[in-house]
């Protein structure tokens, strides 16, 4: 639950700061990227401190080297968190973190089915909903960037054509 609270809390705080006049935080995707970066920093750090043994135990037994997998996913989460903060790398980071969330979901299912005192249906539903929220946030960053890039590319050729257009009284550009 802490990752969800971090994502929502930091995103809202940054959004409010943007609304109060911090220009760099005004666009909602920037606030969302900040919330995701905070969340993935939190989850990445616990791969090394605090919950490492629990995360290793979550790895399905069919996968090799659970301790190495936890280390690798922790490093990827921390790198992704840092890359979310730079606008040039943010869409790539969000796409990579989307793939990482999908790849790690079986560990959540494995934990829900085997590792708790709760019946599986009581544990799997909240984990799945939280995972869906995290996925929606990372996908929103990717989609927002793609839409912005498409708009920019559509405008650029129109602006460039203005100097090459031959009309009445105009001379061709050589």
């Amino acid at each position: 639950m802490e990752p969800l609270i971090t994502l929502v809390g930091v995103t809202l705080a940054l959004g409010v700061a943007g609304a109060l006049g911090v220009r760099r935080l005004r666009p909602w995707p920037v606030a969302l990227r900040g919330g995701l970066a905070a969340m993935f920093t939190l989850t990445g750090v616990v791969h090394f401190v605090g919950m490492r043994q629990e995360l290793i135990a979550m790895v399905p037994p069919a996968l090799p080297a659970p301790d190495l997998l936890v280390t690798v996913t922790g490093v990827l989460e921390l790198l992704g968190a840092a890359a979310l903060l730079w606008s040039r790398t943010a869409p790539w980071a969000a796409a990579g973190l989307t793939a990482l969330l999908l790849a790690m979901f079986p560990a959540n299912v494995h934990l829900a089915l085997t590792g708790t005192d709760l019946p599986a249906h009581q544990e799997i539903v909240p984990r799945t909903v939280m995972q869906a929220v995290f996925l929606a946030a990372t996908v929103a960053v990717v989609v927002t960037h793609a839409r912005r890039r498409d708009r920019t590319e559509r405008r650029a050729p129109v602006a460039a054509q203005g100097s090459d257009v031959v009309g009445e009284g105009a001379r061709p550009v050589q």
Side-chain angles (χ1 to χ4, degrees), residues 7-115:
L7 172 63
V8 172
V10 171
T11 301
L12 287 174
L14 294 175
V16 167
L20 293 175
V22 180
R23 292 180 58 129
R24 294 185 67 83
L25 298 175
R26 195 165 291 153
W28 70 265
V30 174
L32 179 60
R33 286 181 10 224
L36 281 167
M39 182 197 81
F40 280 109
T41 298
L42 171 71
T43 59
V45 167
V46 299
H47 281 70
F48 304 100
V49 179
M51 291 184 57
R52 182 168 177 81
Q53 293 309 314
E54 291 88 340
L55 293 174
I56 290 170
M58 281 178 66
V59 176
L63 296 176
D67 54 339
L68 177 62
L69 289 174
V70 168
T71 299
V72 169
T73 56
V75 167
L76 291 174
E77 288 183 18
L78 292 170
L79 290 173
L84 281 168
L85 298 175
W86 190 29
S87 61
R88 290 186 179 199
T89 57
W92 297 103
L97 291 166
T98 298
L100 187 63
L101 286 167
L102 292 170
M104 293 187 319
F105 188 68
N108 286 303
V109 172
H110 175 69
L111 177 66
L113 297 176
T114 63

Side-chain angles (χ1 to χ4, degrees), residues 120-173:
H121 71 278
Q122 289 179 342
E123 183 68 22
I124 195 71
V125 172
R127 285 182 175 278
T128 302
V129 170
M130 279 197 315
Q131 199 80 350
V133 170
F134 302 154
L135 284 168
T138 58
V139 169
V141 170
V142 174
V143 168
T144 300
H145 175 77
R147 284 184 179 162
R148 185 178 44 201
R149 189 185 69 220
D150 287 347
R151 275 184 272 150
T152 303
E153 288 173 357
R154 278 187 294 220
R155 284 186 204 143
V158 171
Q161 287 175 356
S163 62
D164 295 331
V165 173
V166 178
E168 287 185 38
R171 293 185 326 158
V173 176

